[in-house]
Amino acid sequence: FDHSKAHFYRYDEQVSLCLERSSLQKFVRCSVRAEVRHLRKVLCHRLNVQMLFNNESLPDHMTMKRLWLSHWFGKAQPLVLHYTIKDKRTR
Amino acid sequence: EDEEDKKEVFEFQFSDRPLLPCYNIQVSLSQGPRNWLLLSDVLRRLRMSARSFRQTFPHMEVVTVAEAEFFRQASLSQLFSCPEELEGFHPDSKDLLDLVEDSAELAALLGSTLECRLPEPRAKFGGEGGC
């Protein structure tokens, strides 16, 4: 174990998410320090994705930990998020 | 060492199936907390025996911890605030649990894909636009 890497995100607590869009589900695990914008950017290589919870848009800089504590505390994993695709990205 | 391994990146593990529970546990005093899956969960998903798993993947780190210690650490996590999540474990148990470290190789074995992303500095003014 390399202690110089102990702060790496991969050693953080990992939050379990379920991303829903219509009837499609995708399950995701990531660091609690990941922010909504990171997740959104991973999702949207070519698409403009907006992350939602209870039909409300989530701010880009909200961390998964804050999201969990403010919206999902006391509930079972995974935290369910929704997303919408606003438009296609042009290259 | 892989170049990617030297960078601190966010790892996003994607799966079409619900992911197995992952526990952030410190298994020895000489190491910090790391992320582990229950070997029994992994074996059930892979439909393998413990013996064949160890034979096939001898390089994958499997550690044994006391269930009571596992429960103590896992129950400290705010992510396990739902009582049902840890109801299968007993705080006073003298049983042992086998854990296998969550790794890219294990994720691939379980049918997940890994996407890495370098954290970008926050924009100074306003939010960011599209992707």
Side-chain angles (χ1 to χ4, degrees), chain B residues 71-124:
Chain B
F71 183 89
R72 190 190 68 76
Q73 291 194 37
S75 60
L76 292 174
S77 168
Q78 291 169 312
L79 300 183
F80 290 99
S81 53
C82 175
E84 288 89 57
E85 297 240 46
L86 295 174
E87 69 182 358
F89 305 101
H90 302 285
D92 303 318
S93 171
K94 291 189 168 56
D95 290 345
L96 299 173
L97 293 175
D98 286 330
L99 306 176
V100 56
E101 189 170 23
D102 192 22
S103 64
E105 185 182 2
L106 185 60
L109 260 181
L110 293 168
S112 300
T113 53
L114 215 56
E115 299 245 7
C116 296
R117 179 146 204 105
L118 278 169
E120 296 151 13
R122 291 182 179 195
K124 269 191 175 174

Side-chain angles (χ1 to χ4, degrees), chain B residues 47-64:
Chain B
R47 295 180 183 169
M48 283 181 99
S49 68
R51 187 177 171 180
S52 56
F53 181 85
R54 287 173 196 262
Q55 281 177 346
T56 314
F57 311 108
H59 52 285
M60 281 204 196
E61 188 172 1
V62 176
V63 298
T64 301

Side-chain angles (χ1 to χ4, degrees), chain A residues 31-70:
Chain A
S31 160
V32 292
R33 284 191 287 163
E35 297 175 7
V36 169
R37 65 189 173 124
H38 298 126
L39 175 60
R40 192 166 61 77
K41 288 190 175 184
V42 168
L43 284 176
C44 65
H45 293 299
R46 290 195 174 85
L47 300 168
N48 193 351
V49 170
Q50 190 168 35
M51 304 303 305
L52 305 168
F53 182 89
N54 271 354
N55 286 327
E56 283 185 25
S57 176
L58 292 169
D60 265 359
H61 293 107
M62 181 178 270
T63 64
M64 296 301 150
K65 184 79 177 251
R66 185 175 153 201
L67 186 58
W68 184 280
L69 294 177
S70 58

